[in-house]
Amino acid sequence: MSVTLKSPNPTGRFCEDGPEPISTEFAIPQPFRQTAGKSSYRVLIVDDNPSIHEDFRKILSPASDADPRSDELESIVFGIPVETEPRVTFELDSAFQGQSALEKLNEAVSEGRPYALAFVDIQMPPGWDGVTTINHLWGVYPGLQVVICTAYSSYSWEDMRSVLKQPDSLLVLKKPFDSAEIQQMAHTLVRKWELNLLAEIGLGRLDASIRNLLPPSRETGAALGDCGPGTPVSTQSDELQLVATLQRLGQTLESTRGKLRHAEQQLVHSEKMASIGRLSAGILHEINNPLNYALAALTVLENSANRLPENIRKDQLDTVKDLRDGCSRMQEITSSLHKFAYPESGNLRKVQVNDAVRTALRLMAVEIGDGVIIENRISNDVNIWGSASQLTKVFINLIHNSAHALRMKSHETGTVPRIHFEAAAVNGRTIISVTDNGTGIPQGDLGKIFDPFYTTRDVGQGIGLGLGTCHQILQQFRATIKVESIPGVHTRFDLSFPEQGF
């Protein structure tokens, strides 16, 4: 496919009788097909095990044997809506060794339809391993998104980063595979690839437009701004104005690319959160039912213990207490899962931030302790659009993390553990900051702390849903959360809210 761009004459000016168009053509590859509102993306599976290829085909490109007439009849009889074909489909190709994968990619690139995504196994004897294969693939087509599949690898993540030099286009998938995880990775990464492609197309168009606007070289003898006889010559001021315009365009483009990279990160995280939410919803019922039976049985055992001899009764009651404590812990976990999978929803209204902060501080007073200084610099006129109860939950989770970080740190003489709250209006948004001078967060963990079930605490001290829940609640308010931390110095969470309702 080629695109024809029309522009004024090469000087960037218009002649008195109108612009003289100049055509500029450049090729835009079409690696994916779009028909009737549907998109099809090319995906390469690289693995030495044929059964793995079949598994990927069943997950990403399942065969449809259903008769559409039977689907229509089922819809009429049972009231079940007819399933429509997916709007995103995948064209899967197979390679069983790294060298073969490179040949297929070269062929795809020469056809103008390179692969958007590759799933690459880490171990593929006797040929190249996964890391070597990816290095060769990116040498041909750096835009390729890659998922490296591994059960055990001699490469650490740091080793992969040092060898591949392109970690932002690489994800790791642990074996055994989960079909939902493969689906969400595939959909997220081909969308990211498509956004990158559109950005490159935009750059090409901008470059072509700039070339048409620039004046011809003085070495050719052409006069700047000369549209023909009698046309005034461009002044130096015009040239400086053109340069300034191009600089502004360049700055706008860099800003757009930065927003695109941020959108990619948000896209991957949102897909991950949605996948975990669906998984949590599926297991809640299966856990709660036997848990309720166990608690009821423990009550029966407690009541029957009164009929036992004294020397046996105490041991049985102690055992029952331990079991009840364990079941209570399980109830706390399922309750957290329920809040994560089924977040509260409803009409948003104007909420006074200070009310939520003060409520959270009262509820967490015991955990905070007496030796922590609370500094609240938020005025009573700071409001956001949301839910008061949900906003309180966000502050409870943040205060809980701060209190834990303060307890884990040995404060030097003259320093006092403190939690600081403040608010500011920045670029049309309300920023609420929560800062503590606790242990801080290692740089390697900053990108993972909002992931569900990720925790750095010891077993039994947390299940890693607190910050993930904060992220999900704030999404309902169209708000964002960011973290900045220096290990051993401080951690600051910034909550950014739109100033007006929606």
Side-chain angles (χ1 to χ4, degrees):
M1 175 181 178
S2 63
V3 173
T4 301
L5 301 176
K6 300 292 184 180
S7 74
N9 65 81
T11 67
R13 295 173 59 102
F14 290 86
C15 301
E16 293 179 355
D17 58 351
E20 177 185 349
I22 293 179
S23 297
T24 301
E25 295 192 0
F26 58 93
I28 296 177
Q30 290 295 292
F32 66 97
R33 296 172 178 165
Q34 290 184 320
T35 56
K38 299 174 184 176
S39 299
S40 179
Y41 301 87
R42 301 193 70 182
V43 178
L44 181 62
I45 311 299
V46 188
D47 197 295
D48 60 335
N49 186 348
S51 64
I52 296 295
H53 293 257
E54 291 303 315
D55 291 339
F56 274 105
R57 291 189 183 278
K58 291 176 184 177
I59 295 170
L60 296 178
S61 185
S64 178
D65 300 326
D67 187 336
R69 294 172 298 178
S70 65
D71 288 342
E72 185 177 358
L73 179 61
E74 183 180 16
S75 175
I76 296 172
V77 174
F78 299 104
I80 301 173
V82 178
E83 293 186 2
T84 59
E85 294 182 12
R87 302 188 67 83
V88 174
T89 59
F90 301 102
E91 300 177 37
L92 269 60
D93 286 339
S94 294
F96 296 92
Q97 288 290 314
Q99 293 90 333
S100 174
L102 182 60
E103 293 173 3
K104 286 184 176 291
L105 181 62
N106 275 314
E107 181 179 350
V109 170
S110 66
E111 293 173 354
R113 296 188 64 240
Y115 296 102
L117 171 63
F119 288 90
V120 182
D121 188 23
I122 191 69
Q123 301 290 348
M124 295 180 290
W128 297 337
D129 63 17
V131 173
T132 304
T133 299
I134 295 169
N135 218 9
H136 282 87
L137 296 179
W138 277 343
V140 172
Y141 183 51
L144 180 68
Q145 303 298 306
V146 176
V147 177
I148 193 162
C149 309
T150 175
Y152 168 77
S153 172
S154 56
Y155 288 93
S156 66
W157 177 244
E158 289 72 19
D159 293 336
M160 292 183 192
R161 286 172 59 94
S162 63
V163 173
L164 297 174
K165 309 292 185 184
Q166 197 173 316
D168 57 327
S169 295
L170 178 70
L171 289 179
V172 177
L173 178 63
K174 293 289 187 179
K175 297 179 180 178
F177 301 147
D178 177 82
S179 58
E181 191 174 8
I182 292 176
Q183 282 277 2
Q184 68 96 5
M185 279 187 173
H187 283 81
T188 300
L189 290 177
V190 297
R191 176 60 177 156
K192 175 186 174 186
W193 169 85
E194 185 178 354
L195 289 172
N196 286 336
L197 178 65
L198 293 175
E200 291 301 323
I201 292 174
L203 280 172
R205 288 174 175 166
L206 179 61
D207 182 67
S209 299
I210 291 174
R211 290 179 184 277
N212 282 339
L213 289 170
L214 289 173
S217 172
R218 294 182 182 271
E219 295 177 2
T220 62
L224 294 176
D226 189 4
C227 290
T231 304
V233 178
S234 171
T235 64
Q236 185 177 5
S237 175
D238 292 329
E239 294 184 39
L240 293 176
Q241 185 176 5
L242 175 60
V243 171
T245 300
L246 294 179
Q247 288 176 340
R248 286 196 299 271
L249 285 173
Q251 293 170 356
T252 302
L253 180 61
E254 283 302 313
S255 174
T256 302
R257 289 177 70 89
K259 292 177 182 177
L260 175 62
R261 286 191 291 269
H262 178 71
E264 291 171 1
Q265 296 169 357
Q266 292 293 321
L267 185 64
V268 172
H269 187 74
S270 296
E271 288 285 346
K272 186 184 297 183
M273 296 287 281
S275 177
I276 295 296
R278 290 191 295 268
L279 174 64
S280 301
I283 67 175
L284 282 176
H285 180 75
E286 299 299 329
I287 293 178
N288 276 329
N289 275 351
L291 186 59
N292 290 332
Y293 295 148
L295 288 169
L298 289 175
T299 300
V300 172
L301 287 175
E302 284 177 331
N303 294 334
S304 64
N306 295 326
R307 297 192 295 270
L308 295 174
E310 181 66 29
N311 60 331
I312 300 176
R313 183 188 308 125
K314 184 179 181 304
D315 291 340
Q316 178 161 323
L317 289 176
D318 288 343
T319 301
V320 169
K321 181 180 181 302
D322 291 340
L323 291 172
R324 187 175 292 279
D325 289 343
C327 290
S328 297
R329 174 61 178 156
M330 291 178 66
Q331 277 189 318
E332 292 176 7
I333 294 174
T334 55
S335 175
S336 297
L337 283 172
H338 188 276
K339 292 175 183 177
F340 181 82
Y342 302 103
E344 294 180 9
S345 60
N347 295 328
L348 303 182
R349 60 184 181 84
K350 187 173 287 188
V351 176
Q352 189 183 78
V353 174
N354 242 343
D355 283 346
V357 171
R358 290 166 182 155
T359 300
L361 288 171
R362 283 196 301 269
L363 294 173
M364 298 296 291
V366 174
E367 183 164 354
I368 294 173
D370 297 329
V372 178
I373 301 297
I374 303 296
E375 299 174 337
N376 187 359
R377 300 286 186 262
I378 302 176
S379 61
N380 289 332
D381 60 351
V382 177
N383 301 299
I384 60 98
W385 285 83
S387 160
S389 62
Q390 293 288 77
L391 184 61
T392 301
K393 288 180 183 177
V394 170
F395 286 125
I396 286 175
N397 280 316
L398 294 179
I399 293 170
H400 174 76
N401 284 346
S402 292
H404 176 78
L406 293 172
R407 286 195 302 270
M408 297 300 293
K409 180 178 178 180
S410 298
H411 293 271
E412 299 177 357
T413 304
T415 62
V416 180
R418 67 183 68 240
I419 303 176
H420 181 86
F421 299 85
E422 62 181 342
V426 180
N427 296 328
R429 298 181 71 86
T430 300
I431 311 297
I432 308 298
S433 299
V434 182
T435 308
D436 67 70
N437 59 342
T439 55
I441 303 171
Q443 293 298 313
D445 293 336
L446 286 177
K448 299 177 284 188
I449 61 173
F450 297 111
D451 291 347
F453 305 109
Y454 180 81
T455 179
T456 58
R457 302 185 187 181
D458 294 335
V459 176
Q461 293 187 0
I463 59 174
L465 282 176
L467 291 176
T469 302
C470 290
H471 180 275
Q472 195 170 50
I473 290 174
L474 293 170
Q475 277 190 321
Q476 299 173 54
F477 304 163
R478 293 190 181 177
T480 60
I481 181 169
K482 295 182 179 179
V483 60
E484 175 189 290
S485 184
I486 300 176
V489 180
H490 77 273
T491 297
R492 187 181 78 239
F493 286 92
D494 290 332
L495 317 181
S496 175
F497 299 87
E499 284 194 343
Q500 298 181 349
F502 43 87

